[in-house]
Amino acid sequence: MEYTEKQNILVVEDNENTRRLLETILRGSGYEVTLAPDAEEGLRILEGDVAVDLVLLDLFLPGADGVQFLRLRAEMEPDRQPPVIVVSATEDMDTLRPQLRELGAKLALRKPFDVQELLDGVKQHATKRTAKAAMPVAPAAKTGRAKTKGKSATKR
């Protein structure tokens, strides 16, 4: 219960309306959201200082596409490889699913997507990474409690 930091979802989507829709859905469900209009920006974010717990990835992007994003992500340090859910309008989703899984995608949803299915996937796959990261923090939180009694629960 001490761990209250919101999970951060990176949305890599070139369509502004879809990006805003995903942001609204995710923020309304209690997530932090980081937006990237293309694969290059998404990869820069993964390489930066922002902790990312999950990536929602479109396949059709300007420049590098979603498959190239997955390949480049796989070459990063393991702690820079959050789980990925592909959300794309491709007609070939059923054909692409095995390849996407091989490249590390946990789930592949076709647009228009079912909001509950998306949120269930986000909850299932984002939680695993954050739960592991939160475990080492627990002993430190106990020590911090004596110093800031009563403040940690209202901090965020």
Side-chain angles (χ1 to χ4, degrees), residues 6-9 20-35 119:
K6 290 182 179 182
Q7 294 168 311
N8 185 27
I9 312 301
R20 285 185 182 168
L21 173 64
L22 288 166
E23 179 182 23
T24 301
I25 291 167
L26 293 167
R27 286 193 193 279
S29 296
Y31 296 99
E32 288 293 326
V33 180
T34 303
L35 302 173
L119 289 173

Side-chain angles (χ1 to χ4, degrees), residues 3-14:
Y3 185 74
T4 58
E5 187 170 334
K6 290 182 179 182
Q7 294 168 311
N8 185 27
I9 312 301
L10 170 60
V11 176
V12 182
E13 168 65 62
D14 63 318

Side-chain angles (χ1 to χ4, degrees), residues 1-2 12 28 50 62 72 77 95 104 107 109 123:
M1 289 269 213
E2 301 251 345
V12 182
V50 176
L72 292 168
E77 294 294 318
T95 308
L107 184 63
L109 301 175
K123 182 178 181 181

Side-chain angles (χ1 to χ4, degrees), residues 5-68:
E5 187 170 334
K6 290 182 179 182
Q7 294 168 311
N8 185 27
I9 312 301
L10 170 60
V11 176
V12 182
E13 168 65 62
D14 63 318
N15 181 289
E16 186 177 346
N17 291 332
T18 305
R19 229 180 14 246
R20 285 185 182 168
L21 173 64
L22 288 166
E23 179 182 23
T24 301
I25 291 167
L26 293 167
R27 286 193 193 279
S29 296
Y31 296 99
E32 288 293 326
V33 180
T34 303
L35 302 173
D38 56 45
E40 290 85 357
E41 180 63 21
L43 292 165
R44 275 193 292 276
I45 290 167
L46 289 184
E47 292 171 344
D49 294 334
V50 176
V52 174
D53 298 295
L54 181 84
V55 177
L56 292 184
L57 176 67
D58 186 15
L59 290 180
F60 300 116
L61 297 165
D65 65 15
V67 171
Q68 289 170 305

